Amino acid sequence: MRCKSSANQNLKHKKGLWSPDEDQKLKDYIINHGLGCWTSVPINAGLQRNGKSCRLRWTNYLRPGLKRGTFTTHEEQIILTLHGMLGNKWSQMSQHLPGRSDNEIKNHWHSYLKKKVAKLQSITPLDTLNEESCSSSTSLKSTRTGSSIESNDVEPLDYSKVTGLRIPPKILFADWLSLDQFQLFNNNNSDELSYSMDAFNHTCSSQETVINGGSYSSGIQEGSRAECQNVEHDFYDLIFEEIIGPNFNINAL
DNA sequence: AATCCTCGCAACCGCTTCGTG
DNA sequence: TCACGAAGCGGTTGCGAGGAT
């Protein structure tokens, strides 16, 4: 992690917007040398920026695979769902939204989704929606005493209670949820939702060593990954209904 | 046409976490 | 064990574009 500091501390770092020339330099450097020590990147790439600025520019703008443009309804649903579960954990949310950076998600939340949710709450309190949609208690609901999903008011899902882990796992959905586990709860029965969280516990626990060991690869086979992503969409729909209610239509706001 | 206001996005700042010597 | 420094993260700010007055 730590790298030899070759940075000239007295160097005056440039601030503000990046020029196309700077972007090209950074991109060329990373393509040729790969990701390494960020503090040495600006020096070696001939940029008058600090490493932090370079990292941010790369992760939020230059990184390959980034999806630019408006968020789809489904992406918004996922954000709302995850926000209800995680709170303002933007980087964790970005793990579940391929091509979206944490900054982008955060901006979208603050400029758009937060208002939508506030508007929804002013029309229909979420308690009402939840009562209508879920009469039986689930493990998910039991950990959510707060009904609001507004960032500052919500009591986010307590991961330590739900998963037994101190810190929420930094892991892709498809990496911890196997198809077998999904099939067991993919019936319209809230009890199965409890099972899904149990499956989450189990899989997270078993993968903790791998995560802590620094490996981000999963045990899941590549061929199953695309299938898992579809499953992931279904899963978020399920959770979304659990939190927001089945009749909620984001487009209606 | 000029000014003001709002919104969205990009980037900075400060704090926390984590690895290394 | 501790101090240091790099990386990561979330909150906040600044600025430009576009719409309203």
Side-chain angles (χ1 to χ4, degrees), chain A residues 154-222:
Chain A
V154 72
E155 182 181 324
L157 187 68
D158 189 339
Y159 261 93
S160 60
K161 286 180 193 163
V162 175
T163 68
L165 299 176
R166 194 175 62 85
I167 301 166
K170 203 177 215 177
I171 186 165
L172 286 170
F173 180 94
D175 291 340
W176 57 259
L177 182 69
S178 76
L179 286 170
D180 291 349
Q181 285 160 345
F182 179 76
Q183 279 163 2
L184 283 165
F185 70 83
N186 192 22
N187 310 310
N188 292 324
N189 182 331
S190 57
D191 289 342
E192 273 81 28
L193 187 61
S194 308
Y195 179 81
S196 72
M197 296 314 290
D198 291 339
F200 179 92
N201 296 349
H202 174 76
T203 317
C204 284
S205 303
S206 62
Q207 290 198 355
E208 200 172 9
T209 317
V210 178
I211 297 162
N212 291 339
S215 169
Y216 200 69
S217 65
S218 68
I220 201 162
Q221 289 183 353
E222 277 303 314

Side-chain angles (χ1 to χ4, degrees), chain A residues 2-65:
Chain A
R2 197 170 169 179
C3 61
K4 247 185 182 174
S5 176
S6 53
N8 182 355
Q9 302 299 326
N10 299 321
L11 197 71
K12 186 81 182 171
H13 294 304
K14 192 182 165 189
K15 288 185 180 182
L17 294 178
W18 282 64
S19 67
D21 183 50
E22 287 177 308
D23 280 346
Q24 196 56 49
K25 279 182 180 174
L26 180 60
K27 214 189 305 184
D28 287 346
Y29 178 81
I30 292 174
I31 286 167
N32 290 328
H33 299 88
L35 291 171
C37 178
W38 282 111
T39 46
S40 64
V41 166
I43 297 134
N44 296 334
L47 293 163
Q48 289 186 319
R49 299 272 180 174
N50 62 20
K52 220 173 174 179
S53 181
C54 292
R55 185 181 62 82
L56 210 65
R57 185 63 178 171
W58 174 258
T59 54
N60 291 334
Y61 198 82
L62 299 173
R63 178 165 56 100

Side-chain angles (χ1 to χ4, degrees), chain A residues 130-148:
Chain A
N130 276 333
E131 279 163 18
E132 284 170 6
S133 62
C134 334
S135 54
S136 62
S137 65
T138 66
S139 62
L140 182 68
K141 271 176 70 181
S142 66
T143 59
R144 282 180 51 81
T145 51
S147 60
S148 165

